[in-house]
Each structure stands twice: as structure tokens, then as C-alpha cells.
Amino acid sequence: MKEVTKDVILDLLPLYLAGEVSEDTATLVKKYLESDPELAEAAKEMAKADSLGKVPIPFRKEAAVETYQEAKKWMTIRILGIAAIIGMILMCLFLAIGISLTADGLAKAFIH
């Protein structure tokens, strides 16, 4: 069997650190890391950086309340905006109907 190269270990390293390799592959990577202290140190740093991404963000009640109030404010603004648009549409509709009725009334008054 051919000797495993550093490139192969580098390809396997993310899977190894995630615990997604077989026992045989894990043994192979471990042995290689024992023989290459520089890569072993890099693997430790990668594992540390990866584990930092898995730390849950602490829940703060103040932040949750602040986020809720901000969302509520924007929902109110949106509702008021939609109401204003609907109001303008209705006003234009009633205005058009009123002008139409007035025009019909004026036309009838001048014709008769």
C-alpha cells in the first residue's frame, strides 16, 4: 500500500474533526498527526474554531423584548401604510363616482 500524503490527510481533516469518519480513517489521521506536529497543531486550532461555532448564544430577556418592540413598531407602520393606501383608493373611487354623478346631473340640467 502506498504511503498517505499530507494532501489526503488535509482532505480528510474536516471530516475527521466533525467525527464523520470510520474508525480506520480516524486511526490513519491520528497516526499521521502524531508524525506531523505542525499539522497536528493546525488541526487543534481548527477543532477549537469549529467548536466555537457550536456555542449557543446566551438568551437575554432585554434583547428579546427590544426585538419584539421593534417588530411591533414596524408592523404598526406597515398596517397604517396599507390603511392609508386603501383610504386613498376609496377616496379616489368615491370622488370619481361623485364627479360622474355630478356630470350626469349637469348634463341633464342643460339638456332639458
Side-chain angles (χ1 to χ4, degrees):
M1 184 169 127
K2 231 176 158 185
E3 186 177 325
V4 178
T5 65
K6 187 173 185 174
D7 287 336
V8 172
I9 298 301
L10 287 171
D11 289 343
L12 293 172
L13 198 53
L15 294 171
Y16 168 76
L17 293 174
E20 298 292 326
V21 295
S22 67
E23 286 184 38
D24 292 341
T25 304
T27 303
L28 177 74
V29 173
K30 282 180 196 174
K31 285 183 182 178
Y32 192 91
L33 291 176
E34 288 170 1
S35 68
D36 188 343
E38 184 180 321
L39 186 58
E41 186 60 34
K44 285 180 188 175
E45 290 297 317
M46 286 174 66
K48 190 165 99 176
D50 186 45
S51 68
L52 290 176
K54 295 177 184 173
V55 174
I57 298 171
F59 178 78
R60 288 189 10 239
K61 185 176 181 180
E62 299 83 26
V65 169
E66 189 177 309
T67 302
Y68 170 75
Q69 289 174 341
E70 185 73 16
K72 188 176 177 182
K73 178 182 89 171
W74 284 108
M75 286 175 58
T76 303
I77 290 171
R78 189 180 90 192
I79 289 170
L80 290 175
I82 291 171
I85 290 170
I86 291 172
M88 288 185 163
I89 290 171
L90 289 174
M91 185 176 70
C92 290
L93 181 65
F94 291 138
L95 188 60
I97 291 171
I99 290 173
S100 174
L101 292 175
T102 305
D104 288 342
L106 289 175
K108 287 179 185 176
F110 285 113
I111 293 176
H112 288 56

